[in-house]
Amino acid sequence: MLTAGQILQLIRNGSCRTRKELIEYTGLSRSTITDRVDRLIMAGYIHESGVGTSGGGRPPSVLDVDAAKRLMLVADLGATHARVALTDLAARPMAEEHTEMRIELGPDAVLSWVREAFQRLLDRVGRPASEVCGIGLDLPGSVDHTTGRVIRSFLMPGWDDHPVGEAIGATFDVPILVENDANAMALGEWWSLWRHTDSLVLIKVSTGIGTGIVLDGQIYRGVEEAAGNIGHVRLRETDDRVCTCGSRGCVASLASGHALAHDLGQSYSRDVVRLVQAGDPEAIARTQEAGRTLGIVLATAVSLLNPGVLVLAGDMAETREHYLTGIREIVYRRSLPYTTRNLEIVNSSLGDRAGIVGMAVIVMEHVLSPSSVDAALAAAVG
């Protein structure tokens, strides 16, 4: 017998739009469906949003998710930036705030800003914290998404094993989900534009290089939450440059935004972007070569995963087509033709909002999952 949480999924995915359709689809009795639906309405998960087509008699009420009554707060934290957003339960943005902030300032300073920014967003739209049903944060490192702790990050000194979820939970008593930034960005891109494809690989190239993998609509994290560490694949072990991980010849030490900035005498990856956009010939040449270097590793990823789309995100996606051209050249040259026959290699469609969108989707799916809904309904009765 389906639970109320499972009934909600049928409404969410469009399988059933009315009580009559639920009865016919599930085979459950009218009284059982009425009970499930009424409980979901009373708890604010769904509402009657219109009138369906009548087969004779009184037209049926259409059931839909009530996205307005609950709120979500999400944060996208990069090596040099922080963005927060307030969304409804359909992951639609209601307010956002962005600032330049270095993650190396440490968890206390960064998470204090996040908590204060969350409150500012609520104040801006005039909604109380009690309406927040879930929070999500992404970070530029490996995280244990079940405990909300940072496992490791070469860009985040002082963050290892920090209880990020607990730090935010001190202010908000709701589920708090923590994710790697490239994973969140990959899901954001997939949700927004690529839901018709079974697999997507996103490569974030900014200060470092990270990869997010979406398979069958789910983030693939790996056994040790370390899937996507493509930036630390070694290409030239005799290279003089030492990567942030301590090894030599890593892709990140050769092709990341930080590496390009160093080669061009600049401070940050965004300085490289400005040079490329201004038409600087050396910056363009080095950017294309960095794309070719990363393309060597991505050609292997294409052979292993056979994705439908490769998405370039992060600062280097803003170099127009220059970094992407280098990737395309090597991936198509080094991969078997049938593995790239239907492969699309594109720049991010969401830009610097990919992480925010992805985290909102992650929180939404958690809050509206059958287990979470059934637990909340049981707690309300208790």
Side-chain angles (χ1 to χ4, degrees), residues 276-347:
V276 172
Q277 291 178 345
D280 183 278
E282 183 182 6
I284 290 173
R286 287 184 178 272
T287 295
Q288 291 177 345
E289 181 60 30
R292 286 190 283 270
T293 299
L294 180 56
I296 295 171
V297 180
L298 291 179
T300 301
V302 167
S303 296
L304 284 171
L305 297 173
N306 189 207
V309 58
L310 287 178
V311 180
L312 175 64
D315 291 342
M316 290 302 105
E318 298 178 23
T319 60
R320 301 192 178 103
E321 290 285 305
H322 294 299
Y323 199 103
L324 199 65
T325 296
I327 291 176
R328 285 181 176 141
E329 176 186 333
I330 299 301
V331 168
Y332 287 126
R333 182 196 302 171
R334 293 196 172 210
S335 303
L336 290 170
Y338 75 90
T339 64
T340 57
R341 182 172 51 200
N342 296 306
L343 173 66
E344 297 192 62
I345 304 178
V346 299
N347 276 321

Side-chain angles (χ1 to χ4, degrees), residues 55-294:
R58 182 180 177 183
S61 297
V62 174
L63 303 172
D64 198 4
V65 174
D66 191 348
K69 288 185 178 178
R70 286 178 168 83
L71 306 174
M72 302 186 298
L73 289 164
V74 289
D76 169 48
L77 305 178
T80 60
H81 76 271
R83 181 183 295 274
V84 293
L86 175 70
T87 78
D88 64 13
L89 199 48
R92 294 183 294 243
M94 300 171 64
E96 293 190 16
E97 184 174 327
H98 172 269
T99 190
E100 300 295 317
M101 178 182 294
R102 298 193 66 80
I103 200 77
E104 63 190 26
L105 289 173
D108 291 341
V110 173
L111 295 179
S112 290
W113 180 87
V114 170
R115 289 192 297 267
E116 293 167 1
F118 280 166
Q119 188 58 55
R120 286 195 295 272
L121 295 181
L122 290 168
D123 293 342
R124 190 181 307 168
V125 300
R127 302 286 289 271
S130 59
E131 294 183 2
V132 175
C133 63
I135 292 175
L137 299 91
D138 71 47
L139 297 159
S142 297
V143 302
D144 184 338
H145 76 284
T146 60
T147 65
R149 288 177 175 266
V150 177
I151 299 174
R152 68 185 68 83
S153 176
F154 305 115
L155 297 175
M156 302 167 59
W159 285 80
D160 284 3
D161 201 38
H162 190 81
V164 176
E166 292 180 20
I168 298 297
T171 306
F172 297 92
D173 185 22
V174 295
I176 298 170
L177 309 179
V178 184
E179 187 57 83
N180 167 264
D181 61 346
N183 285 344
M185 294 170 74
L187 188 64
E189 291 286 342
W190 178 83
W191 179 268
S192 298
L193 195 63
W194 301 102
R195 274 185 269 180
H196 61 277
T197 189
D198 292 333
S199 59
L200 174 148
V201 174
L202 176 139
I203 311 94
K204 179 191 177 186
V205 186
S206 291
T207 302
I209 297 177
T211 306
I213 304 168
V214 175
L215 301 177
D216 295 326
Q218 302 294 320
I219 294 171
Y220 178 73
R221 299 182 176 87
V223 175
E224 301 295 340
E225 306 269 358
N229 262 317
I230 204 169
H232 299 289
V233 173
R234 299 184 196 177
L235 291 181
R236 308 172 191 166
E237 296 203 27
T238 58
D239 196 275
D240 291 337
R241 280 175 285 195
V242 178
C243 182
T244 53
C245 71
S247 299
R248 296 179 184 275
C250 291
V251 177
S253 69
L254 304 170
S256 67
H258 176 76
L260 282 168
H262 179 269
D263 291 344
L264 293 167
Q266 302 296 316
S267 299
Y268 304 113
S269 55
R270 292 179 187 178
D271 298 328
V272 177
V273 173
R274 282 190 283 271
L275 287 175
V276 172
Q277 291 178 345
D280 183 278
E282 183 182 6
I284 290 173
R286 287 184 178 272
T287 295
Q288 291 177 345
E289 181 60 30
R292 286 190 283 270
T293 299
L294 180 56

Side-chain angles (χ1 to χ4, degrees), residues 348-368:
S348 165
S349 63
L350 295 176
D352 56 11
R353 296 193 67 256
I356 283 290
V357 173
M359 282 311 308
V361 172
I362 289 170
V363 177
M364 176 184 67
E365 291 297 319
H366 174 82
V367 170
L368 294 179

